[in-house]
Amino acid sequence: MELTLLLPLILVVAGVTLIAAAYYLHMQAKEVEYLIQQLVHLDEDARNDPIEFIKSTLAWMKRAGADKLHVRLNWFGEVLQLGDTVSGRSADQEEKGCEVFSLGEGELQATVLLCPKSSLRGEREALFQVVKQLWLRLLAAQLNGRVAQLHLSQQQMQRYEMFYKHDLKNLAQFLTLLNSQIDRCDDSECVLKLVNRLRGVLPSLEHRAQRILRFLTQKNIDTAEQQTFALSERIQLVARMVDVQVAIEGDATLKAYEALFEQGLQGVLENFIHHGERNEPVRIWIEDQGVGVVMRLRDASMQQPLTAEQRVRMFEPFWTTSESGLGLGLYLARQNFARACHGRLDAVNMPDGGWAFELVCPKG
Amino acid sequence: MAQILVVDDDAALRNMLALLLEGEGHDVALARDRHCAVAQLHQHAFDVVFLDMGMPPHEHTLEEGLQVLDWLQQHPRRLKTIVLTGQNRSESAYAAIRHGAFDYLSKPVEEGRLLHALERALLFLDNEQRLRNEAGEEKLTLTLPVGEGVKPVRNRAEEQLLRQVLEESAYKIHETARRLNLNRENVYYLLKKYGIKRPQKDG
């Protein structure tokens, strides 16, 4: 009698338990499916921008079961830390229960420290592994895509071509007019007028020509002799070429490959044309600190501090906030300074709350 | 002798253009960007403007040049604008003409063609002046959608004529009313209708 009553009860309890377990597994599978969909969408939205991808997927990885996620990006010569802070240990040092992954190569590398929640067990751990693998593959694809984009983008190449074509057309127009002016001049007064006018415009013309050459060729200037020159005088010269007003405090002499140094200066000053306050002069401070020369440049538009990401992205090739900018100016400027004087160009936050470009050229 | 404004971000080119035009006996002023151009247009009366379309901070788009053309449509002057640009020809010529440019030249252009364009612009300007003086007629150029009836056409013509006379009379209502043969109340009504405000004086 007791058995006949107990058996159905056991069967009912077992049935309910099975249904509950099946429902639980179904919900877990739905959650994973939803997470995967989100990651795939965010991957598409990021469009080969690994920084955006990491930032936008952090919360979803936490939801999937990550306790700690830290990414150290080697980003075109800068290091950018994203995600959770790791106390006292660097991202490539494995912590207990955590895994470290290295992705990318060359100028773009990511070291990922990923720690699952300690409470993850059984099926939840297995599902986390699925999401983790997907996320790592998407991040690797983002890094590779970014590199491919930089090297192969047809659109950027067209833009690149447009830049030097614009300068070439202006130069051609100038030469056409100059040629006809020379033909016209048949007295000394006319010649004098022409020469005086040319004297005033030659620096800007030289700048245009150099810019075209910079686009078309990469001259091997490293084999040239290093020169010693006064920094203030050289800045004035380049500023005149690019038509930027400067106010300089201090001075120092520097030994460097001067052509490369001038190209670096051009790149930084041109950045002020596109992003700065054109009515205000660019203020430049030069300090000889014995072991090296420090130069800081800023204008009235640089009153707010930069985030770590802004500081890094500024020097990323083809990254620009200006419609007319190619996004190569600061990237090339940094490379030119590095080759000219083993110098380092950075964007640094200042104690007064603003920021400045800082160039440090070591001596010797 | 004409008063000419050369607007170009390339210092070498604008100076060489100035030299050519001065050699032809004209007075030349220079502007390196949109802001300088508008400041010059505020301060001086010009007959012809040579306008580059791509200038900082948008060196490689039409934006800056189009903004100068739009400013001229909002503040009509008795001048002709000749666009001289290295931008993509089909795109920039279409946009420039749509925004009120008189002529379009593609860089690099020979001196002869440049001077011919200037001569044509001055010829039109002189004869339009003659039309005003001798026939009391004003030549208006309007860009309008077709197929929306005649009311928008009338309004645009009315607005442009009003803006032109206001600019010429330095926004003096009495003078504007006299020249348009309206009473002052009508002028105030039209100002309100087209949202035209007297420009703020500097300082």
Side-chain angles (χ1 to χ4, degrees):
Chain A
M1 180 67 186
E2 281 180 3
L3 192 64
T4 52
L5 277 175
L6 206 57
L7 191 61
L9 191 65
I10 290 168
L11 287 172
V12 167
V13 170
V16 169
T17 309
L18 277 173
I19 290 168
Y23 180 73
Y24 170 76
L25 286 173
H26 172 73
M27 292 310 289
Q28 288 294 318
K30 289 288 271 185
E31 168 74 358
V32 170
E33 184 187 342
Y34 179 65
L35 284 169
I36 288 172
Q37 277 177 2
Q38 291 303 316
L39 290 181
V40 170
H41 285 149
L42 292 168
D43 173 61
E44 284 169 5
D45 290 347
R47 293 167 190 237
N48 290 329
D49 189 333
I51 294 177
E52 274 308 308
F53 176 75
I54 293 166
K55 278 163 49 185
S56 62
T57 53
L58 271 174
W60 296 100
M61 288 303 289
K62 290 286 172 105
R63 183 167 159 172
D67 180 41
K68 197 184 278 182
L69 175 54
H70 175 87
V71 183
R72 194 183 66 194
L73 270 178
N74 288 333
W75 192 253
F76 302 104
E78 288 280 353
V79 173
L80 183 62
Q81 314 266 356
L82 295 167
D84 298 306
T85 50
V86 279
S87 54
R89 301 170 75 96
S90 65
D92 50 3
Q93 286 176 295
E94 202 166 337
E95 289 184 23
K96 194 182 173 191
C98 301
E99 288 178 283
V100 176
F101 305 92
S102 291
L103 306 168
E105 57 184 343
E107 286 182 296
L108 271 183
Q109 284 180 20
T111 307
V112 180
L113 176 75
L114 188 53
C115 315
K117 284 176 186 160
S118 55
S119 58
L120 284 186
R121 293 278 185 278
E123 77 290 340
R124 291 205 62 190
E125 193 183 358
L127 295 173
F128 171 71
Q129 290 297 328
V130 172
V131 176
K132 181 189 82 179
Q133 289 300 331
L134 175 71
W135 186 82
L136 287 168
R137 277 174 172 70
L138 289 175
L139 179 57
Q142 287 277 343
L143 291 164
N144 293 337
R146 185 66 171 180
V147 172
Q149 190 185 43
L150 294 179
H151 292 306
L152 300 172
S153 167
Q154 183 66 26
Q155 196 183 352
Q156 275 157 350
M157 286 305 114
Q158 283 170 353
R159 198 162 164 76
Y160 190 81
E161 190 179 291
M162 182 176 79
F163 264 63
Y164 75 76
K165 270 189 180 167
H166 173 261
D167 282 347
L168 270 178
K169 282 180 182 173
N170 275 353
L171 197 59
Q173 180 66 77
F174 172 84
L175 290 173
T176 306
L177 294 177
L178 176 64
N179 195 28
S180 56
Q181 285 293 305
I182 291 168
D183 281 350
R184 275 162 165 252
C185 273
D186 50 9
D187 59 59
S188 56
E189 190 190 346
C190 177
V191 172
L192 192 65
K193 225 177 188 177
L194 184 60
V195 169
N196 282 338
R197 190 68 76 137
L198 282 175
R199 202 169 279 153
V201 302
L202 278 179
S204 76
L205 193 67
E206 189 188 351
H207 160 63
R208 291 273 177 193
Q210 278 188 5
R211 206 158 78 161
I212 294 166
L213 281 177
R214 202 172 66 194
F215 279 130
L216 295 176
T217 63
Q218 189 63 42
K219 286 198 295 179
N220 185 11
I221 310 175
D222 304 72
T223 51
E225 285 284 308
Q226 282 194 327
Q227 303 287 323
T228 302
F229 51 84
L231 206 45
S232 167
E233 190 184 51
R234 198 52 55 110
I235 295 167
Q236 295 281 9
L237 175 77
V238 177
R240 275 201 302 278
M241 280 186 197
V242 293
D243 202 13
V244 170
Q245 287 184 357
V246 290
I248 303 172
E249 283 180 35
D251 200 359
T253 54
L254 190 67
K255 191 172 183 188
Y257 295 108
E258 58 179 344
L260 279 170
F261 192 84
E262 283 180 11
Q263 284 184 12
L265 266 178
Q266 267 184 34
V268 180
L269 290 176
E270 279 170 358
N271 192 71
F272 284 98
I273 296 176
H274 295 288
H275 301 281
E277 286 281 340
R278 283 221 81 186
N279 298 327
E280 300 276 330
V282 177
R283 300 188 68 81
I284 301 174
W285 293 268
I286 303 168
E287 203 181 332
D288 190 337
Q289 294 187 346
V291 289
V293 173
V294 179
M295 179 171 79
R296 290 196 185 92
L297 306 92
R298 71 189 299 196
D299 76 356
S301 68
M302 299 152 81
Q303 300 296 327
Q304 298 296 320
L306 295 174
T307 63
E309 187 185 330
Q310 283 172 321
R311 289 209 307 269
V312 169
R313 300 214 88 157
M314 205 172 277
F315 297 97
E316 176 186 334
F318 292 115
W319 188 83
T320 178
T321 55
S322 155
E323 204 178 314
S324 68
L326 188 59
L328 277 177
L330 291 176
Y331 172 73
L332 291 174
R334 174 180 267 183
Q335 305 230 335
N336 283 326
F337 284 131
R339 289 170 66 202
C341 61
H342 300 292
R344 170 86 182 172
L345 178 69
D346 277 302
V348 293
N349 284 333
M350 304 297 285
D352 66 2
W355 66 279
F357 286 112
E358 183 182 83
L359 172 68
V360 180
C361 277
K363 281 188 176 175
Chain B
M1 183 177 74
Q3 305 295 318
I4 298 172
L5 175 64
V6 175
V7 188
D8 199 304
D9 63 321
D10 188 313
L13 183 52
R14 66 173 180 264
N15 275 281
M16 195 45 65
L17 254 172
L19 191 65
L20 166 71
L21 298 169
E22 283 164 4
E24 291 292 307
H26 303 297
D27 268 354
V28 183
L30 303 175
R32 70 179 181 187
D33 57 26
R34 167 168 62 93
H35 301 290
C36 296
V38 169
Q40 290 272 15
L41 288 162
H42 259 306
Q43 287 166 14
H44 308 289
F46 295 101
D47 300 307
V48 174
V49 177
F50 279 98
L51 177 66
D52 182 21
M53 298 299 278
M55 290 177 285
H58 303 106
E59 238 174 312
H60 304 282
T61 68
L62 306 174
E63 192 174 328
E64 295 298 305
L66 291 181
Q67 287 206 33
V68 175
L69 289 170
D70 287 344
W71 187 91
L72 282 167
Q73 290 200 322
Q74 291 294 308
H75 305 83
R77 304 296 199 252
R78 295 200 190 284
L79 59 79
K80 298 289 176 200
T81 308
I82 300 171
V83 167
L84 175 61
T85 186
Q87 304 266 340
N88 175 290
R89 189 185 171 93
S90 61
E91 188 194 340
S92 58
Y94 173 76
I97 288 163
R98 192 177 190 194
H99 288 252
F102 172 76
D103 206 345
Y104 179 93
L105 297 170
S106 202
K107 285 177 188 170
V109 63
E110 287 166 14
E111 182 196 281
R113 282 190 57 212
L114 211 136
L115 292 176
H116 179 66
L118 174 64
E119 195 182 319
R120 242 170 62 82
L122 292 174
L123 179 78
F124 271 73
L125 207 63
D126 283 348
N127 283 286
E128 284 169 19
Q129 180 69 38
R130 205 173 143 197
L131 203 65
R132 267 191 301 280
N133 294 343
E134 294 179 10
E137 291 172 357
E138 185 69 56
K139 185 173 186 298
L140 298 179
T141 306
L142 298 171
T143 307
L144 294 162
V146 178
E148 290 180 11
V150 293
K151 197 176 172 189
V153 179
R154 192 190 68 202
N155 285 348
R156 286 292 304 278
E158 191 174 60
E159 182 186 351
Q160 190 168 328
L161 188 63
L162 178 67
R163 283 186 185 276
Q164 183 127 356
V165 176
L166 280 167
E167 286 286 336
E168 284 170 9
S169 60
Y171 282 78
K172 290 189 181 109
I173 303 301
H174 179 76
E175 174 65 9
T176 305
R178 188 191 67 74
R179 288 186 56 188
L180 292 172
N181 197 21
L182 296 170
N183 60 39
R184 289 171 61 177
E185 285 69 30
N186 289 137
V187 175
Y188 282 121
Y189 166 77
L190 290 174
L191 287 177
K192 195 173 171 193
K193 180 178 174 183
Y194 297 116
I196 300 172
K197 287 180 181 155
R198 184 190 291 264
Q200 299 273 323
K201 282 184 179 171
D202 294 335

